[in-house]
Every structure is written in structure tokens, then in C-alpha cells.
Amino acid sequence: MAEKKNILTYAGLKQYEDELQNLKVFKRKEVAQKIKEAREQGDLSENAEYDAAKDEQRDIEARIEELEKLLKNAEVVVEDEIDLDKINVGCKVKVKDLEYDEDMEFYIVGSTEANSLQNKISNESPVGQALIGKKVGDVVDVETQVGVIQYEVLEIQRVS
């Protein structure tokens, strides 16, 4: 079975590459030093520092493996090539919530970059799926747990 492509913006790609580099270059050495120092204390069977360092090492290696897999299957959206006539991954979208007469902005990103605190919504989320392919002026119905929400698309921009 083919692995799912991870859709990333260039900023997301850079963030994950930087994290991977930091883990491989700095964190691995830092943890190796902690393990070495804990070993020098003698008996490892009751050495909490040694156990903690080994746990940290395992977590770092797991995250490195996760990032390498994510990056191996990454498909980067080239923001300069985005068609601004319709909503796609890599766009910043301004919509109006028709029920509450309130303007909102969303950044449409791949699922691995989604972060609701930064208004980054996944192209796979209900709102993201409903918005993809829509144009300025379109009214979109989004099926949610609390019912249907209607948004009017006001503006589509590149993320700059």
C-alpha cells in the first residue's frame, strides 16, 4: 500500500527539517553525555538519572524516525504557483460566518501542520474540505457536530 503523502507548505518543511537537524546534531550528543555521566556514577540498576537519560534517548530517536518518515513522504506546496482563483493548500482565506456576521481568517495547510491556535486548518478537516476549490463569493456549508455552519468566501491570498 502506498504511504499517504504529507502535504506541507515551505515554512512547514523548513520547520521540520530544522527540528530534525537539531535532534540529530545537538540533542543526540546532549543525551549521550547524560548517559555517560550517569554510567560513571556506578550501579545502573538503581540509577534514576541513567533511566531518565535512556528514556529521553528513546524519545529523541522515535521523533527522529517520525520526522524522517514525514519528510520522506512530503509533498511541498509551492506558494508562488497557487491559483488564487480558488482555495487550495497554502492559501490564506478570509471568510464571513453568516450566522454570527463575523469575519475569520484561516490558513489552509496539510494535516501535519494544522494548529488551531494559529488558525492553521487542515485540508482534511471539515472546514478545510468544505473550503478547498471554492472561489470568492461562494457560500460554503460546513457540517459540524453542532450543526451546519455557513461561510461566505471573502478573499483568497498567498501566505507571505
Side-chain angles (χ1 to χ4, degrees):
M1 185 172 103
E3 291 196 47
K4 179 183 148 202
K5 284 285 182 198
N6 298 306
I7 299 174
L8 295 174
T9 60
Y10 180 74
L13 175 72
K14 181 95 175 87
Q15 173 191 339
Y16 290 128
E17 286 176 339
D18 289 349
E19 181 183 354
L20 181 61
Q21 180 72 7
N22 181 48
L23 289 172
K24 283 182 163 183
V25 174
F26 300 109
K27 291 292 185 183
R28 271 183 174 163
K29 286 180 184 171
E30 187 179 294
V31 135
Q33 185 61 33
K34 287 180 186 177
I35 291 170
K36 181 181 176 216
E37 289 170 7
R39 269 197 193 121
E40 290 169 356
Q41 294 174 9
D43 184 12
L44 298 181
S45 63
E46 293 182 21
N47 188 330
E49 287 177 25
Y50 179 78
D51 291 341
K54 289 299 276 183
D55 287 346
E56 186 179 354
Q57 182 183 44
R58 187 188 61 244
D59 293 346
I60 287 171
E61 293 305 321
R63 181 63 179 159
I64 286 171
E65 187 178 324
E66 182 183 332
L67 287 170
E68 285 176 338
K69 186 176 179 183
L70 185 150
L71 292 170
K72 184 178 116 200
N73 293 306
E75 186 174 300
V76 180
V77 174
V78 181
E79 282 92 349
D80 294 344
E81 296 175 5
I82 292 173
D83 176 6
L84 293 179
D85 290 338
K86 60 183 193 266
I87 298 170
N88 210 325
V89 175
C91 290
K92 180 166 104 175
V93 182
K94 189 173 185 180
V95 297
K96 176 181 267 202
D97 182 325
L98 296 178
E99 183 178 351
Y100 294 105
D101 192 34
E102 159 179 88
D103 290 355
M104 306 167 83
E105 278 190 350
F106 297 119
Y107 299 92
I108 311 292
V109 296
S111 60
T112 55
E113 285 183 81
N115 182 334
S116 60
L117 298 175
Q118 298 174 346
N119 289 340
K120 292 181 177 181
I121 62 169
S122 166
N123 61 321
E124 298 173 11
S125 69
V127 174
Q129 283 181 338
L131 288 173
I132 293 287
K134 300 300 187 259
K135 299 177 182 203
V136 172
D138 287 352
V139 174
V140 180
D141 292 339
V142 180
E143 194 74 39
T144 68
Q145 296 156 329
V146 294
V148 176
I149 299 174
Q150 284 193 317
Y151 294 117
E152 178 184 357
V153 179
L154 302 176
E155 201 175 301
I156 304 170
Q157 301 176 333
R158 282 189 179 93
V159 178
S160 45

